Amino acid sequence: MIKSLNHLPHPHENAQVLASHFTDLAPPLNARQAVLESSRCLYCYDAPCVNACPSEIDIPSFIRNIQQENVQGAAHTILSANILGGSCARVCPTEVLCQQACVRNNSQECAPVLIGLLQRYAVDHAQFSEHPFTRAAPTGKRIAVVGAGPAGLACAHRLALHGHEVVIFEARAKSGGLNEYGIAKYKLVDDFAQREVDFVLEIGGIEVRHGQRLGDNLTLSELHQQFDSVFLGLGLAASRLLGLPHEDAPGLLAATDYIRELRQSDDLTQLPLAERCIVLGAGNTAIDMAVQMARLGAREVNLVYRRGLEDMGATGHEQDIAKANQVRLMTWAQPQELLLDEQGRVRGMRFARTRLEDGRLVSTGETFELAADAVFKAIGQTFDDAALGDPLAQKLKRVGDRIEVDEQLRTSVPGVYAGGDCTSLGQDLTVQAVQHGKLAAEAMHAQLMLDQEAA
Amino acid sequence: MADLSIVFAGIKAPNPFWLASAPPTDKAYNVVRAYEAGWGGVVWKTLGEDPAAVNVSSRYSAHFGPNREVMGINNIELITDRSLEINLREITQVKKDWPDRALIVSLMVPCEEESWKFILPLVEATGADGIELNFGCPHGMPERGMGAAVGQVPEYVEMVTRWCKTYCSLPVIVKLTPNITDVRLSARAAHRGGADAVSLINTINSITSVDLERMVALPMVGSQSTHGGYCGSAVKPIALNMVAEIARDPLTKGLPICGIGGIGSWRDAAEFIALGCGAVQVCTAAMLHGFRIVDEMKDGLSRWMDSQGYTSLDDFSGRAVGNTTDWKYLDINYQVIAKIDQDACIGCGRCHIACEDTSHQAISSLKQADGTHRYEVIEDECVGCNLCQITCPVEACIEMVPHNNGLPFLDWNHDPRNPYCVAS
Ligand SMILES: Cc1cc2nc3c(=O)[nH]c(=O)nc-3n(C[C@H](O)[C@H](O)[C@H](O)COP(=O)(O)OP(=O)(O)OC[C@H]3O[C@@H](n4cnc5c(N)ncnc54)[C@H](O)[C@@H]3O)c2cc1C
Ligand SMILES: Cc1cc2nc3c(=O)[nH]c(=O)nc-3n(C[C@H](O)[C@H](O)[C@H](O)COP(=O)(O)O)c2cc1C
Ligand code: SF4
Ligand code: SF4
Ligand code: SF4
C-alpha cells in the first residue's frame, strides 16, 4: 500500500464502524427539507449569489423550480451552467462562494439559503430518461483534451455539445481528477465521482484514453498537429517540498498521496494508521488530511501552521470541522527538523515558534518538539513540469509554475487552451475548474467556427 | 387590563371571540371544551329538520402557501348530521352549565313558514341566547333550496327573517353569504325583516386545486369532486370589505355586525371591530390549531387596547368606518414617494425588477464595483403605488413618505380633469 507508512498499525475499528465515519459529512436534504429551504429563497433579481458562483448557475431559477416541484427543471438549469453540478454541490466551499453572498446572510437573519444542499437535492433527484443535453450537428472538428479532471471533463462535454469530436488523454486509470483521487472521502462519498463521469460522457462524442501521460508517452507537438485544438487540464500533480533533510524518510508523506490511497481503498481497515500525527499546512487539504486521520482513529492529530488562524487558507467552516473532530490547530510554529528513530523512521518533528516582525515572519528562537508516527505535508500542490517537456510545450508562457492564460483561457500558443488548477487564473476549486473548462470550450468553439467561415 | 366583555344585539358575552357555526361547535363535547378554553360564545353547528343531513368522505381541501402554511380551507360538509332532538338536548344542558357564555343556535330549514314555525319554539325552549340564520352555506344545501339559495335572494332573506322575528322572541342574527355581487342588498333585506344583527361572511364558492394525475378537483369523493366553501386567512380581505360596505351603508346604519372570515389573531379581530363589528366569529383558525388560540387572542387584544387607552370595545368599534369612503372622495393631490433605507436594504433587487417590468421604472439598479447592486428611487418617476414596499422582503426597509407638493385637497368630483366635475 503506502510504502512509506508500511511500518504503522491499522485502524482498530471494524470495517462497518470505519465506513460510518466516512459517510456524508453534510447529509443531503430530504424532500420536505428541500421544499422548506427552497421557500426561503427570495428569488432575487441580479442575484448576488449568482455573481458569487464561479460557474454562474442561475440559482434563484433552479431554487424556484424545486419549490414548484420541478426537480428535473432545477437540475437542468444547474447542469447547463455546470455539468459537474453534482460534485460541486458537495465540495464547493459555499461559505465563501454563493452562500456568502446570499442576501439572507444580512445582519438580521445570518442564515443564508442552503444553496449547495439544494443544488445537490436537485441533481440527485432528477431522473432523466436520457442525457439531458443533445449534441449539435457534427462539425468535423477534433479536439484533444489532456486530463480528465473537472476542467477537462467540463471542457469535453461542452465541446461535444457543440458537435465536435473529443479525445481525452488521461494519465491515470480512472477519470475524474481530484474528484476521484483527492477530495475528502466524507465530502464525495461512494462511487459518486465515477457515476458523474459516466453521466458526463453519456452525451457521446468523447473518447477517453487512459494511461496517456503528456510529457511521457504523449507530446503537445503531436497533439497540436493531429487535432484542431488542444485543451490542457493537467491540475497540479506535484506536492511542494519542505526543503528539510530526510524528506524521503519513512513516515513522511504528501497528504494528497495518503488521501488518494484512502479514497481508492476498498477496505479502510487495511490503511496505515498514524496514532499520533502531524499535518503541516493551512489549507483545506490540510484540514481534510487531519480530519480523515482523526476519523480513522488517530488519538492525536496536530495541524501545525506557521502563521495565525486568520491567515489560514481553510475557511472558518473547515476549521470548525477540524475542531469538531478533535484536531488540534497549532499556529505560529514552523518545521525545523524532522526527528527520526534508530531505523530512520519519523518519530516526531521539532518546530520553531514564529511571530510577525514588521510584517515579516521570523522565528522567536524558541523551539518545541512534537512526537508523531507520521508527518503529512499539505503545504501546497505545484505544477509537474515533466508534462511540458517537448519543444512546443516549452513555448507556453508561465506565471510562476503555472500556465499563463487570458480570460478566454487561451495560452500563449495559438490553438492551445488551458484551465483549472494548472493555470494562474482564479482559485483552485472544482467549480472554478469546471468554469474554465466550459469557457475554454466556448472560446475554442467560437474560434473554430470563425476559422471555418474564413476558410 | 381592558374590559373585553360585550353586549352584542342584546346577547352578553365575557369576550367578543365566538366560535362560528361549524365542526368546532358540532356538539356538547366540543362546545364545553371551547368554553373551558375561554371562548366568549359559540354559534352551534347549524340545525335542520330531521332526518339529519348525511355527509360524504372526503370533505376538505386546502390552498397552501409555499411553506405548506394553510392560506384557506375549502369544505363540502353540510349542516349537522345529528338529529334535532340530540342537538336540542345538548344545547339545553350546555347553556344551563355555562350561563355566562353566549350560545347562539344556527338554523337552516326549508323556505316555508311552517318549517320555521315548527323549529323556532323548540330552539327557544333550550334557553339559548339567540339564533343565527344560515343563509350562506354555498354547497349541497342550495341544491335543496336552502342556505345560499335563500341568502342570494333579498326578498327571501327579508321574508324568513320576519318569520323568525314573528315566531321567536330571541335576537335574530342573519348570516350572509359572500356569493353575491353586492352584500349591502342582503344586509338591507335582513334589516327590513327586523334582524337584530348580521354576521358575515359565510364561505365563498371555491375549488382549491386539481389533482393533475387523476384529473379531479379537490377534495375528491371517489373519482369526482364538487365546489365547496372557502374560508380561512385568505378570505379575510374579502370579509373585511363586506363588513365595511355594510357598516358605512346609511340604509343599515346602526345594525350590529358580527365579523367572520379568516380571523386568527387579536389583530385580525381588532381590524374587524375597527370596521364596525361588535363581535367576531372564528372557525378555520380553531380548526387548524385548536381552541387554545383564544388565549393569545384575548391577551393580545386587551394589551393592545391598554396601549391605546381603550377601556372597552365600544371605544374603538367602528373607528375606521368614517375613514373608509368611495374612490371619488379621495384626495387626488395627496402624494407619497418610496424611500429605501439603504442600511436595511439587503440588495435582493426585487423592488427594482417589480417596478421596472410592471410599474413605473422608478427604481434604478446601480452596479457597484464589487458586483453587487445599489437600488435608488427615482423620485420624479415614483407614483407612490406601494408595489416596491410590498415586494420588499425586509420589513420597514421601504417607506412610503408623504410628499408635500403644496397642493390643496381635491377629490375627483371637483377635479377639473373629470368630465363630470361638480363645479365648485
Ligand atoms: C486534497 C484536496 C482536497 C480538495 N478539496 C476541495 C474541496 O473540498 N472543494 C473544492 O472546490 N476543491 C477542492 N480541491 C481542489 C480541486 O480538487 C481542484 O481545484 C480541481 O480538482 C481542479 O481540477 P483540474 O481539472 O484542474 O485538475 P485535477 O482535478 O487535478 O485533474 C487533472 C487531471 O489531469 C491528469 N493529468 C495530470 N497530469 C497529466 C499529464 N501529464 N498527462 C495526462 N494527464 C494528466 C490527472 O491525472 C487528473 O486526472 C481539493 C484539492 C486537493 C488536492
Ligand atoms: C367544515 C366547515 C363547516 C361549516 N359549516 C357551517 C355551518 O354548518 N353553518 C354555517 O353557518 N357556517 C358553516 N361554516 C362556515 C363558518 O362558520 C365560517 O362562516 C367560515 O368558515 C368563515 O370563517 P373562518 O374564516 O374563520 O373559517 C363551515 C365552515 C367549515 C370550514
Ligand atoms: S456550483 Fe458551488 S458555488 Fe456555484 S452555486 Fe453550486 S454550490 Fe454554490
Ligand atoms: S441571494 Fe439568496 S435569497 Fe437571493 S436568490 Fe440567491 S439564494 Fe435566493
Ligand atoms: S426590495 Fe427591499 S431589500 Fe430588496 S433591493 Fe429593494 S429595498 Fe433592498
Side-chain angles (χ1 to χ4, degrees):
Chain A
M1 188 157 263
I2 304 170
K3 255 195 273 144
S4 157
L5 302 181
N6 267 347
H7 59 291
L8 296 182
H10 299 298
H12 312 300
E13 304 282 11
N14 65 39
Q16 208 184 344
V17 174
L18 281 181
S20 74
H21 294 172
F22 288 90
T23 52
D24 276 309
L25 190 68
L29 299 178
N30 61 35
R32 177 79 189 115
Q33 289 167 326
V35 169
L36 276 177
E37 191 58 26
S38 62
S39 73
R40 296 187 58 239
C41 174
L42 296 170
Y43 195 59
C44 297
Y45 182 74
D46 267 337
C49 56
V50 178
N51 197 33
C53 167
S55 62
E56 296 167 333
I57 292 174
D58 189 343
I59 297 166
S61 173
F62 94 69
I63 294 181
R64 197 171 174 84
N65 270 333
I66 294 180
Q67 176 64 44
Q68 297 182 0
E69 298 169 74
N70 179 3
V71 177
Q72 245 97 309
H76 197 276
T77 301
I78 294 162
L79 297 169
S80 60
N82 181 333
I83 195 65
L84 298 193
S87 53
C88 285
R90 292 162 163 84
V91 310
C92 272
T94 53
E95 64 277 13
V96 295
L97 300 174
C98 52
Q99 286 178 203
Q100 185 181 47
C102 175
V103 300
R104 297 214 94 149
N105 250 321
N106 67 79
S107 59
Q108 295 176 38
E109 294 191 29
C110 314
V113 174
L114 300 175
I115 302 168
L117 284 173
L118 285 170
Q119 179 173 323
R120 172 168 177 184
Y121 178 82
V123 176
D124 285 3
H125 292 270
Q127 281 164 352
F128 295 108
S129 49
E130 53 187 27
H131 190 73
F133 303 96
T134 339
R135 297 182 65 194
T139 59
K141 302 287 176 195
R142 292 179 74 240
I143 298 170
V145 168
V146 189
L153 287 170
C155 183
H157 186 270
R158 187 54 67 106
L159 288 169
L161 185 76
H162 285 311
H164 308 294
E165 290 296 314
V166 183
V167 180
I168 302 184
F169 297 90
E170 165 58 49
R172 292 190 182 275
K174 290 190 195 169
S175 303
L178 291 172
N179 273 0
E180 175 58 35
Y181 294 106
I183 300 286
K185 196 171 167 66
Y186 47 71
K187 286 188 193 163
L188 213 50
V189 303
D190 57 47
D191 61 342
F192 184 81
Q194 284 315 300
R195 280 187 280 134
E196 192 175 46
V197 169
D198 293 344
F199 165 74
V200 171
L201 299 182
E202 246 173 39
I203 190 167
I206 305 173
E207 180 197 345
V208 189
R209 297 188 193 156
H210 293 281
Q212 304 283 309
R213 185 181 293 275
L214 191 68
D216 182 3
N217 49 5
L218 202 65
T219 65
L220 185 60
S221 325
E222 286 170 62
L223 295 176
H224 197 247
Q225 260 170 18
Q226 293 165 8
F227 291 85
D228 294 301
S229 204
V230 182
F231 176 79
L232 302 176
L234 301 167
L236 297 173
S239 296
R240 205 164 268 150
L241 295 178
L242 285 173
L244 294 178
H246 317 299
E247 192 110 17
D248 51 2
L252 180 69
L253 196 69
T256 49
D257 289 342
Y258 190 91
I259 296 171
R260 183 166 57 241
E261 287 295 330
L262 173 70
R263 284 198 58 94
Q264 296 304 309
S265 162
D266 299 327
D267 185 0
L268 297 179
T269 63
Q270 292 311 305
L271 287 172
L273 172 77
E275 294 269 15
R276 297 167 307 175
C277 75
I278 294 170
V279 178
L280 303 173
N284 290 349
T285 303
I287 303 268
D288 287 352
M289 180 65 228
V291 171
Q292 289 178 102
M293 194 46 87
R295 289 188 163 229
L296 281 172
R299 277 185 287 120
E300 238 177 71
V301 182
N302 291 304
L303 193 155
V304 189
Y305 177 44
R306 59 202 168 107
R307 294 173 187 270
L309 282 182
E310 55 288 355
D311 308 310
M312 286 181 79
T315 62
H317 172 71
E318 295 280 333
Q319 293 181 24
D320 289 344
I321 293 173
K323 288 175 203 157
N325 284 277
Q326 279 84 47
V327 171
R328 187 153 65 133
L329 303 180
M330 302 182 69
T331 50
W332 302 111
Q334 190 168 6
Q336 198 182 45
E337 190 189 339
L338 197 60
L339 305 173
L340 305 181
D341 64 12
E342 310 84 74
Q343 286 126 310
R345 301 163 174 164
V346 168
R347 69 170 174 84
M349 187 161 237
R350 183 160 52 244
F351 293 89
R353 290 205 189 277
T354 55
R355 65 180 151 89
L356 275 188
E357 222 176 71
D358 303 328
R360 274 187 333 114
L361 193 70
V362 296
S363 80
T364 63
E366 208 186 322
T367 65
F368 67 95
E369 290 182 4
L370 278 181
D373 309 316
V375 174
F376 297 100
K377 294 177 286 186
I379 51 174
Q381 298 298 111
T382 59
F383 187 71
D384 181 6
D385 267 331
L388 303 180
D390 70 282
L392 183 66
Q394 299 244 310
K395 284 202 196 143
L396 290 172
K397 274 218 193 99
R398 310 283 280 271
V399 177
D401 60 342
R402 317 244 183 152
I403 302 171
E404 184 189 277
V405 287
D406 63 10
E407 291 290 321
Q408 294 191 56
L409 290 306
R410 291 183 295 205
T411 68
S412 54
V413 176
V416 179
Y417 296 70
D421 287 1
C422 68
T423 67
S424 54
L425 202 66
Q427 295 167 281
D428 292 346
L429 294 174
T430 309
V431 60
Q432 181 73 79
V434 171
Q435 177 74 352
H436 281 176
K438 177 179 92 185
L439 293 181
E442 291 297 349
M444 291 160 106
H445 173 65
Q447 186 62 52
L448 289 172
M449 293 302 101
L450 209 65
D451 295 349
Q452 199 163 38
E453 265 174 46
Chain B
M1 292 269 254
D3 175 18
L4 295 183
S5 70
I6 54 163
V7 182
F8 177 81
I11 301 164
K12 285 200 190 124
N15 65 59
F17 299 109
W18 297 359
L19 284 165
S21 173
T25 62
D26 186 49
K27 51 188 177 300
Y29 180 82
N30 307 75
V31 171
V32 168
R33 283 177 67 87
Y35 285 158
E36 282 167 355
W39 290 84
V42 307
V43 184
W44 202 276
K45 172 76 182 172
T46 306
L47 310 188
E49 278 184 346
D50 284 335
V54 178
N55 276 305
V56 293
S57 164
S58 61
R59 306 176 187 182
Y60 310 152
S61 62
H63 176 49
F64 293 102
N67 254 338
R68 221 188 126 74
E69 61 272 28
V70 176
M71 324 285 276
I73 287 189
N74 163 77
N75 85 87
I76 55 171
E77 251 173 26
L78 305 182
I79 60 173
T80 185
D81 50 15
R82 306 184 320 144
S83 76
L84 184 60
E85 191 224 321
I86 293 179
N87 275 308
L88 293 173
R89 199 169 58 219
E90 288 185 3
I91 291 168
T92 311
Q93 187 62 43
V94 171
K95 183 64 213 180
K96 207 166 119 210
D97 296 344
W98 295 86
D100 71 319
R101 308 300 170 93
L103 200 169
I104 288 109
V105 177
S106 170
L107 295 174
M108 183 199 287
V109 291
C111 211
E112 285 155 21
E113 194 165 356
E114 284 313 304
S115 300
W116 291 94
K117 207 168 160 182
F118 168 77
I119 202 166
L120 288 164
L122 301 178
V123 173
E124 190 157 357
T126 62
D129 300 298
I131 57 170
E132 185 181 79
L133 311 185
N134 179 349
F135 290 163
C137 182
H139 45 265
M141 304 314 291
E143 297 168 15
R144 308 175 194 178
M146 291 182 267
V150 178
Q152 285 162 342
V153 183
E155 292 72 23
Y156 293 170
V157 172
E158 181 179 344
M159 176 177 74
V160 179
T161 307
R162 188 161 291 126
W163 289 339
C164 292
K165 287 306 289 180
T166 309
Y167 299 115
C168 164
S169 66
L170 295 176
V172 175
I173 303 170
V174 177
K175 184 165 176 179
L176 304 178
T177 174
N179 300 307
I180 36 75
T181 42
D182 186 345
V183 76
R184 291 175 304 182
L185 302 184
S186 320
R188 288 172 191 162
H191 193 44
R192 284 195 303 273
D196 297 275
V198 287
S199 59
L200 68 158
I201 57 173
N202 208 310
T203 55
I204 305 175
N205 286 341
S206 71
I207 285 177
T208 47
S209 50
V210 176
D211 181 324
L212 291 176
E213 253 87 66
R214 298 176 58 183
M215 284 295 169
V216 191
L218 272 70
M220 267 183 253
V221 179
S223 57
Q224 297 172 300
S225 186
T226 184
H227 84 266
Y230 197 48
C231 54
S233 155
V235 310
K236 179 188 138 188
I238 296 160
L240 269 179
N241 172 57
M242 291 189 165
V243 162
E245 288 288 288
I246 295 171
R248 62 192 194 86
D249 181 3
L251 295 182
T252 48
K253 203 167 170 48
L255 180 65
I257 306 171
C258 187
I260 319 172
I263 297 170
S265 70
W266 67 265
R267 188 178 287 277
D268 295 333
E271 290 171 11
F272 274 87
I273 294 166
L275 277 177
C277 293
V280 295
Q281 295 180 27
V282 175
C283 167
T284 305
M287 287 179 71
L288 292 172
H289 307 291
F291 293 142
R292 60 206 165 118
I293 58 168
V294 76
D295 273 341
E296 293 84 17
M297 295 177 101
K298 287 192 295 186
D299 191 66
L301 183 62
S302 49
R303 282 180 202 280
W304 171 77
M305 286 171 62
D306 288 348
S307 75
Q308 302 298 309
Y310 299 138
T311 54
S312 76
L313 279 128
D314 288 339
D315 287 355
F316 75 100
S317 176
R319 281 246 190 157
V321 177
N323 295 331
T324 312
T325 184
D326 291 347
W327 193 94
K328 59 179 179 272
Y329 300 124
L330 299 174
D331 181 3
I332 219 137
N333 282 336
Y334 179 76
Q335 202 184 352
V336 288
I337 293 176
K339 181 164 174 261
I340 297 175
D341 175 350
Q342 295 294 346
D343 292 331
C345 173
I346 58 174
C348 70
R350 290 170 57 134
C351 54
H352 162 73
I353 198 59
C355 190
E356 190 69 17
D357 280 354
T358 72
S359 286
H360 297 85
Q361 298 75 46
I363 297 181
S364 55
S365 164
L366 309 171
K367 189 156 186 161
Q368 307 293 292
D370 64 357
T372 62
H373 295 251
R374 181 186 162 92
Y375 298 95
E376 282 180 8
V377 176
I378 306 164
E379 296 198 354
D380 287 345
E381 299 296 332
C382 176
V383 300
C385 71
N386 290 355
L387 179 65
C388 56
Q389 190 191 44
I390 290 167
T391 194
C392 178
V394 181
E395 204 174 276
C397 173
I398 298 185
E399 190 190 348
M400 302 306 297
V401 185
H403 171 67
N404 187 357
N405 52 19
L407 298 171
F409 182 99
L410 177 70
D411 69 26
W412 187 240
N413 277 346
H414 299 87
D415 191 319
R417 290 168 292 186
N418 176 0
Y420 307 101
C421 162
V422 185
S424 49

